[in-house]
Amino acid sequence: MDFLTRLLPEAIENLDEGTVPRWGEMTAQHMVEHLVWAFGLSTGKVEVTCEVPENQREVMKAWLYNNQPSPRGFKNPKLPEAPGPLRYSSIREAKSAFMEALDDFADRVKTNSGHMETHPLFGALRMDEWERVHFKHGYHHLVQFGLLGDAEQQAV
């Protein structure tokens, strides 16, 4: 969990609002707000359904436990094609919301590790599975914004 408690928050704190992504259409603030949304999924503050048939979910979940990075350009079926309007007035405010969402998740892991919330692709996940989701998802976006190099991602 060192990635979630140290590396990810440090990288987000050092992210500049003018940082240009290596791929994709998100701005730096869009990405931070996107991570807030993802952490909200894992704590039940954001609710979604999973349309993936049950028999396909376990096959898809296997990806959480391999060392393959998230593919560039992956589109979550629960999100619009292009980034929408920003929810926060500044990247500073978005970063603050990110830290709050991350802290909420860390507290949930400590106090109720058996708790389950729905992921749009994998269905109901335990907190340890959400840790893997957030690790792979966060790593993907840090590489996207040049906060980690491609070589570092290969070592994951």
Side-chain angles (χ1 to χ4, degrees), residues 27-90:
T27 65
Q29 185 171 335
H30 278 112
M31 185 269 285
V32 174
E33 292 187 15
H34 173 68
L35 292 177
V36 171
W37 176 81
F39 278 101
L41 289 172
S42 64
T43 57
K45 292 189 175 179
V46 176
E47 292 185 16
V48 295
T49 58
C50 178
E51 308 302 326
V52 176
E54 190 75 39
N55 63 341
Q56 294 176 23
R57 293 178 193 176
E58 288 304 314
V59 174
M60 293 178 72
K61 274 175 144 179
W63 173 82
L64 291 176
Y65 298 96
N66 68 35
N67 288 335
Q68 292 179 333
S70 299
R72 292 182 181 193
F74 171 79
K75 300 289 185 190
N76 185 316
K78 296 293 181 182
L79 297 174
E81 283 290 316
L86 295 167
R87 293 180 14 220
Y88 299 98
S89 62
S90 67

Side-chain angles (χ1 to χ4, degrees), residues 11-153:
I12 294 301
E13 184 56 38
N14 292 321
L15 180 66
D16 181 80
E17 87 179 294
T19 302
V20 177
R22 294 175 173 174
W23 71 85
E25 299 178 38
M26 284 189 203
T27 65
Q29 185 171 335
H30 278 112
M31 185 269 285
V32 174
E33 292 187 15
H34 173 68
L35 292 177
V36 171
W37 176 81
F39 278 101
L41 289 172
S42 64
T43 57
K45 292 189 175 179
V46 176
E47 292 185 16
V48 295
T49 58
C50 178
E51 308 302 326
V52 176
E54 190 75 39
N55 63 341
Q56 294 176 23
R57 293 178 193 176
E58 288 304 314
V59 174
M60 293 178 72
K61 274 175 144 179
W63 173 82
L64 291 176
Y65 298 96
N66 68 35
N67 288 335
Q68 292 179 333
S70 299
R72 292 182 181 193
F74 171 79
K75 300 289 185 190
N76 185 316
K78 296 293 181 182
L79 297 174
E81 283 290 316
L86 295 167
R87 293 180 14 220
Y88 299 98
S89 62
S90 67
I91 196 166
R92 171 67 34 217
E93 189 179 329
K95 287 178 180 182
S96 178
F98 165 78
M99 286 306 302
E100 186 177 313
L102 178 60
D103 289 344
D104 285 349
F105 176 73
D107 287 344
R108 180 68 56 101
V109 169
K110 288 178 192 170
T111 61
N112 193 357
S113 62
H115 182 79
M116 298 181 84
E117 290 293 344
T118 300
H119 185 279
L121 299 175
F122 307 121
L125 297 178
R126 298 179 316 269
M127 290 294 106
D128 63 311
E129 293 170 315
W130 273 108
E131 283 184 75
R132 288 296 301 172
V133 167
H134 290 312
F135 170 75
K136 290 188 93 162
H137 185 232
Y139 218 106
H140 169 78
H141 288 298
L142 294 187
V143 171
Q144 178 187 20
F145 278 84
L147 301 169
L148 290 175
D150 285 327
E152 292 168 277
Q153 185 176 22

